[in-house]
Amino acid sequence: MSKEIVFGPKKDFIWIDIKKDDENVVQELKSQAKLDKELLGYALDEHENAHVEYDAEEELLLIVFNVIKKHSERYETTPVAFIIKQNELYSFTTAKTAYVTEFIEGLITRQPNLSRLSLIFKTLYQIVGAFFPVIKEIDKKRLALTEKLKTKTTNRNLLELSDLGMGLVYLVNATQQNSLLLAQLKKISLYRYLTENEQEELEDVEIEAYQLVAMANLSDQILGQISETYNNLLNNNLNDTMRLLTIWSLLLTVPTIVTGFFGMNVLLPFKDSPFGWLIIIFISMFLSIGLLETILKRIK
């Protein structure tokens, strides 16, 4: 079911929260035909990129903003949409983004005289703030995994490191889109009509979003460097193993050649000597040591 709350200086604004994962609510909204079909499609799309659209003639504003998806097994983001039409403010959330609804309810409860745009900007500020604990959690897990990998490099630890890297990719992309959206808000004609207070609130969100992008990029770079380092270590270990096996195979080839030579059914030196087998062993060892020294000089 949708939720409706009246707010604003004159109590003439209506906030309507739409649960877009509730098919009955969505169908009811579509049947009412209050919103433009194209904007409604953007607001309901779970894969929509963060962006803003403004129609000055119709006084319609659409903001699609990336938020953290709660109660998810992975670090993922999903879009939440806001539509302003005349005196109505619509928010489009799901069960995994219901905390955004709580942000809005809390703001209206504490500051019931907020304008529609102030309510949106303050909500966006809190949404951006919700990213920081997640990135800090990723950093904490990264440090723990790094310590484990220093002790023993296992496939499980490497896969966990890879999962963190993939999660950060989503977060970095989402935060960058959000930052671009906030910058775009300043370029549309609506910005000229914002009050000084609303402009300051938008500026606060933009600064916070910029800091978030920097933090997410730094975490991504560190994690990428760690992954690359362990990838190089594994490659070096593999190279060392292959080098050792190659050396052993070459060294074992020498006795095989020598004993094969003296195993021919022809007249050979030391055939009748009681110390012939010792001489053959000595020749094999001499050639093997010589081959080993030659190999070691070349690989140094």
Side-chain angles (χ1 to χ4, degrees), residues 4-21:
E4 297 185 12
I5 297 180
V6 176
F7 70 100
K10 298 181 180 179
K11 305 299 180 185
D12 55 347
F13 297 144
I14 302 174
W15 165 55
I16 304 171
D17 182 55
I18 304 297
K19 296 302 179 185
K20 59 183 180 180
D21 51 355

Side-chain angles (χ1 to χ4, degrees), residues 179-191:
S179 183
L180 290 173
L181 178 149
L182 295 169
Q184 189 180 358
L185 273 171
K186 289 186 172 182
K187 298 178 181 179
I188 62 177
S189 59
L190 175 67
Y191 184 74

Side-chain angles (χ1 to χ4, degrees), residues 211-223:
Q211 293 175 346
L212 178 62
V213 170
M215 182 178 179
N217 282 332
L218 179 61
S219 296
D220 186 46
Q221 291 172 7
I222 293 174
L223 189 58

Side-chain angles (χ1 to χ4, degrees), residues 74-134:
R74 300 179 180 178
Y75 296 105
E76 296 177 319
T77 61
T78 188
V80 163
F82 301 91
I83 294 180
I84 290 180
K85 181 182 180 181
Q86 298 174 355
N87 68 326
E88 296 177 334
L89 167 61
Y90 293 85
S91 62
F92 295 81
T93 59
T94 64
K96 293 188 177 181
T97 57
Y99 67 95
V100 176
T101 304
E102 296 174 4
F103 288 164
I104 299 174
E105 282 188 272
L107 286 167
I108 293 176
T109 301
R110 294 189 300 271
Q111 304 177 61
N113 295 327
L114 286 173
S115 67
R116 293 165 301 173
L117 290 173
S118 287
L119 180 58
I120 289 178
F121 295 153
K122 286 181 176 291
T123 301
L124 295 183
Y125 187 89
Q126 293 191 22
I127 290 173
V128 172
F131 276 84
F132 286 100
V134 176

Side-chain angles (χ1 to χ4, degrees), residues 243 247 250 290-300:
R243 182 185 302 153
I247 292 173
L250 291 174
L291 177 61
L292 179 60
E293 288 181 351
T294 302
I295 293 173
L296 293 177
K297 286 179 181 179
R298 288 188 173 274
I299 64 176
K300 285 183 179 180

Side-chain angles (χ1 to χ4, degrees), residues 183-201:
Q184 189 180 358
L185 273 171
K186 289 186 172 182
K187 298 178 181 179
I188 62 177
S189 59
L190 175 67
Y191 184 74
R192 298 195 301 268
Y193 303 103
L194 298 182
T195 65
E196 183 178 347
N197 187 51
E198 289 170 344
Q199 290 181 1
E200 289 179 359
E201 290 166 349

Side-chain angles (χ1 to χ4, degrees), residues 153-167:
T153 305
T154 63
N155 289 336
R156 180 179 179 180
N157 290 337
L158 290 173
L159 287 174
E160 287 184 19
L161 195 66
S162 176
D163 288 340
L164 288 181
M166 287 189 291

